């Protein structure tokens, strides 16, 4: 039950936003009472932290699987993760939590910061190695470029909600092409 709650909360955060859903939105589809959700997650912040924790585990598992691949393939796989969310009607977790950031508990804010730093650090390292191995070509620092990559991926999911998934595909394709040129 706990896993089902986290999975549904993840979807609700990505589609509606953290502050836009209630435990009732979780309890009803699972055919349980609100008390059952509260049993596993006494506060909504506890649930939010569990969702972030699950996302970080998925991310760490993915990058471990990708580490032996050439850097351009690793980055293409990251774009594919975002593409899957796009076609599922989701935005990325960090992008969905950002608008509510100031209303979240300090513990949730800290978890979001840790998630952001881990993702940007991984993209930075991927870009640095890719440039060293002549797979990527870009001006500026890898850290600055990583911020551009992540912000482009996040915003492309929002734009795809308005313009359709083709917008994401075009942005993702151009993003990777610009790094290879």
């Amino acid at each position: 039950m706990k896993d089902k709650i986290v999975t549904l909360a993840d979807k609700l955060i990505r589609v509606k936003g953290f502050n836009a859903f209630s435990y009732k939105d979780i309890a009803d589809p699972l055919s349980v009472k609100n008390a059952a959700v509260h049993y596993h997650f006494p506060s909504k912040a506890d649930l939010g932290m569990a969702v972030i924790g699950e996302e970080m585990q998925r991310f760490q598992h993915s990058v471990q699987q990708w580490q032996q691949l050439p850097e351009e393939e690793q980055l293409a796989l990251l774009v594919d993760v975002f593409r899957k969310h796009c076609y599922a009607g989701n935005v990325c977790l960090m992008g969905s939590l950002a608008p509510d950031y100031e209303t979240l508990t300090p513990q949730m804010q800290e978890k979001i910061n840790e998630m952001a730093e881990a993702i940007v650090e991984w993209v930075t390292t991927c870009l640095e190695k890719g440039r060293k191995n002549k797979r990527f070509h870009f001006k500026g620092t890898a850290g600055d470029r990583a911020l551009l990559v992540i912000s482009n991926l996040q915003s492309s999911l929002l734009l795809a909600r308005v313009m359709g998934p083709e917008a994401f595909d075009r942005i993702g394709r151009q993003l990777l092409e610009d790094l290879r040129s």
Side-chain angles (χ1 to χ4, degrees):
M1 177 60 70
K2 192 173 187 178
D3 291 339
K4 288 180 182 179
I5 293 169
V6 172
T7 299
L8 185 52
D10 182 280
K11 179 71 174 172
L12 288 167
I13 291 169
R14 292 173 191 269
V15 172
K16 296 174 83 171
F18 186 76
N19 288 334
F21 78 90
S22 69
Y23 275 15
K24 182 175 178 15
D25 295 316
I26 293 173
D28 287 353
L30 296 177
S31 300
V32 298
K33 295 189 183 294
N34 283 1
V37 180
H38 279 281
Y39 173 78
H40 294 288
F41 301 100
S43 74
K44 196 170 175 187
D46 294 327
L47 178 55
M49 302 234 323
V51 170
I52 295 167
E54 285 288 319
E55 178 69 4
M56 284 310 301
Q57 284 182 349
R58 279 191 299 273
F59 175 73
Q60 290 164 350
H61 181 261
S62 293
V63 297
Q64 284 176 345
Q65 289 185 310
W66 303 342
Q67 65 186 354
Q68 300 305 318
L69 298 172
E71 293 82 17
E72 70 270 21
E73 289 180 35
Q74 291 182 48
L75 204 56
L77 286 168
L78 179 67
V79 171
D80 282 343
V81 168
F82 278 77
R83 181 176 289 107
K84 288 175 187 168
H85 282 297
C86 175
Y87 280 87
N90 298 334
V91 296
C92 83
L93 185 62
M94 187 170 38
S96 183
L97 290 169
D100 296 329
Y101 185 82
E102 295 300 325
T103 68
L104 304 176
T105 65
Q107 295 84 1
M108 273 194 72
Q109 290 176 348
E110 185 178 327
K111 277 286 196 199
I112 295 167
N113 288 338
E114 289 171 11
M115 178 173 57
E117 288 172 13
I119 293 168
V120 170
E121 182 180 312
W122 179 81
V123 174
T124 299
T125 300
C126 183
L127 291 171
E128 285 173 343
K129 288 179 180 176
R131 182 158 56 182
K132 180 181 171 196
N133 293 326
K134 309 283 190 238
R135 292 185 173 105
F136 294 137
H137 308 279
F138 54 88
K139 293 182 180 180
T141 68
D144 289 348
R145 184 61 55 171
L147 291 171
L148 288 172
V149 167
I150 295 299
S151 64
N152 273 274
L153 289 172
Q154 287 180 340
S155 62
S156 66
L157 292 175
L158 295 173
L159 191 59
R161 281 187 166 179
V162 176
M163 297 183 70
E166 320 70 53
F168 175 87
D169 290 334
R170 291 172 58 198
I171 293 166
R173 189 172 42 254
Q174 190 64 51
L175 185 63
L176 293 172
E177 181 59 35
D178 287 351
L179 289 169
R180 290 183 192 122
S181 304

